[in-house]
Amino acid sequence: MALFHTGLGRDGPGILLRDIRRDEADVLIARDAIVSLRPDILLLLDIDWDLNDTTLLALMSSLSDAGHPMPHHFAPRPNSGMATGLDLDGDGRLGTADDAQGWARFAGSGGMALLSRWPIDTENLVDHTSFLWRDLPDARLPQRNGQIFPSEAVYAIQRLASTAAWEVPVQVRGHPLTLMAYHAGPPAFGGSENRNFNRNADETAFWRYRLDGLLGPPPATPFVLLADANLDPVGGDGDHAEIQALLAHPALQDPQPVGQFPADGTQRRDTAFWRDGPGALRVEYALPSATLRVLDTGLIWPSNDARHAIVWLDIAWPPEQR
């Protein structure tokens, strides 16, 4: 299985669909990287959503034509670009990208999609995308002068997930495997109240609470957590202790994949590279439950100028009894 921050998100609705149909260069690079890896299960990030999955279906058709059909998909509406009608960031303006449930220029921008060669059990999935930030234990809601900022009304509707958060069972050769998935917003910017810093940390804290059974019964094993946490354990912005705590959780294992870093050819764990800053960071993760046996794992950079590597994981299946 694999996690791929595609970088295919566009600046307006319908543009990605047009570019998939035109076989634009970055679309073909992404497609060919997927086909080369041939994952059974694939979480796509930064893939623009539309109501009838037209864009995603076009990409699936392209993958099939190139020799790697993935006939099953799950891609509900993300929080990105979902209008709220409120001034979420307290800047005195309405209708800006920061006033959507998740920062975006348009509804569905930079969404998430799960593709699979195996059937997806949509009847038993759990979608946490609408979970309210204020409902997280010890939620780090922004404050100014000791008061919730910008208002209590904002946090009556403000969702925690910047993009989406799911627990999706997939039936792999007759055995269920739960894919837990999220894509957190960046911890940078967000004003003096540290809105983005706090929200980014809480998007990762959510999964630690889920594993601890503090937000309902913990997920059934076996599972794999696939995430772009936008959070490195030691570098860049953000609450490093939060991702460290998740990586050290006893319900999980961290295979620590490595790959050939395009900038210098060395073997590194970094999964993203922002050339204009903050540089190379490990922000994407594929974390199987502790009971699964990992056969192999690694990173693949789709091109020398790619911003994100594909994180892949090969696990023993059917799951072994321990």
Side-chain angles (χ1 to χ4, degrees), residues 190-204:
S192 60
E193 298 80 24
N194 292 321
R195 178 179 182 238
N196 292 353
F197 180 100
N198 292 342
R199 188 179 185 187
N200 170 271
D202 278 353
E203 287 193 74
T204 287

Side-chain angles (χ1 to χ4, degrees), residues 227-233 270-272 274 281-285 308:
D228 184 336
N230 253 313
L231 188 56
D232 182 279
D270 300 303
T271 67
W274 290 272
L281 297 172
R282 185 188 183 198
V283 297
E284 283 106 352
Y285 302 90
H308 295 269

Side-chain angles (χ1 to χ4, degrees), residues 18 20 60 62 99 183 241 278 322:
R18 179 202 67 187
I20 291 172
M60 292 166 63
S62 181
D99 294 326
H183 184 186
R322 294 189 178 182

Side-chain angles (χ1 to χ4, degrees), residues 77-79 112 127-129 161-166 181-184 203 207:
R77 182 179 182 178
N79 284 336
M112 287 173 31
D127 190 346
H128 300 289
T129 304
S162 298
T163 309
W166 314 322
Y182 75 104
H183 184 186
E203 287 193 74
W207 294 98

Side-chain angles (χ1 to χ4, degrees), residues 111-127:
M112 287 173 31
L114 182 67
L115 303 184
S116 177
R117 292 182 56 227
W118 304 101
I120 297 171
D121 183 3
T122 54
E123 292 186 2
N124 292 300
L125 65 86
V126 183
D127 190 346

Side-chain angles (χ1 to χ4, degrees), residues 4-249:
F4 185 13
H5 188 301
T6 65
L8 294 178
R10 297 314 202 234
D11 289 336
I15 298 176
L16 179 55
L17 174 60
R18 179 202 67 187
D19 290 350
I20 291 172
R21 289 172 171 170
R22 287 181 176 180
D23 286 336
E24 291 289 344
D26 61 338
V27 173
L28 293 182
I29 288 171
R31 183 202 66 184
D32 292 347
I34 295 168
V35 172
S36 174
L37 185 59
R38 304 184 69 82
D40 289 328
I41 298 170
L42 175 64
L43 179 67
L44 295 172
L45 305 180
D46 198 15
I47 188 86
D48 295 338
W49 172 90
D50 53 59
L51 182 60
N52 297 310
D53 293 338
T54 307
T55 300
L56 182 61
L57 291 170
L59 181 61
M60 292 166 63
S61 178
S62 181
L63 287 172
S64 182
D65 291 344
H68 186 58
M70 303 189 77
H72 306 283
H73 74 281
F74 175 70
R77 182 179 182 178
N79 284 336
S80 49
M82 184 181 291
T84 65
L86 296 179
D87 180 13
L88 296 191
D89 62 346
D91 68 352
R93 298 179 296 161
L94 293 175
T96 70
D98 271 321
D99 294 326
Q101 287 287 1
W103 189 98
R105 294 183 178 89
F106 62 93
S109 171
M112 287 173 31
L114 182 67
L115 303 184
S116 177
R117 292 182 56 227
W118 304 101
I120 297 171
D121 183 3
T122 54
E123 292 186 2
N124 292 300
L125 65 86
V126 183
D127 190 346
H128 300 289
T129 304
S130 62
F131 181 89
L132 295 180
W133 188 357
R134 70 177 186 184
D135 291 340
L136 187 76
D138 301 319
R140 311 177 207 201
L141 302 182
Q143 295 191 13
R144 178 182 287 181
N145 300 323
Q147 302 293 321
I148 295 295
F149 180 83
S151 69
E152 294 285 353
V154 162
Y155 296 101
I157 62 97
Q158 173 71 79
R159 299 177 175 189
L160 174 60
S162 298
T163 309
W166 314 322
E167 296 174 29
V168 185
V170 178
Q171 289 293 328
V172 183
R173 298 193 185 100
H175 297 268
L177 174 67
T178 297
L179 279 303
M180 303 189 298
Y182 75 104
H183 184 186
F189 314 109
S192 60
E193 298 80 24
N194 292 321
R195 178 179 182 238
N196 292 353
F197 180 100
N198 292 342
R199 188 179 185 187
N200 170 271
D202 278 353
E203 287 193 74
T204 287
F206 173 90
W207 294 98
R208 181 164 52 84
Y209 288 131
R210 281 290 297 126
L211 295 172
D212 287 341
L214 299 178
L215 294 171
T221 56
F223 58 76
V224 176
L225 176 60
L226 299 172
D228 184 336
N230 253 313
L231 188 56
D232 182 279
V234 294
D237 292 317
D239 186 344
H240 308 301
E242 196 57 67
I243 191 64
Q244 291 170 8
L246 184 65
L247 294 176
H249 197 284

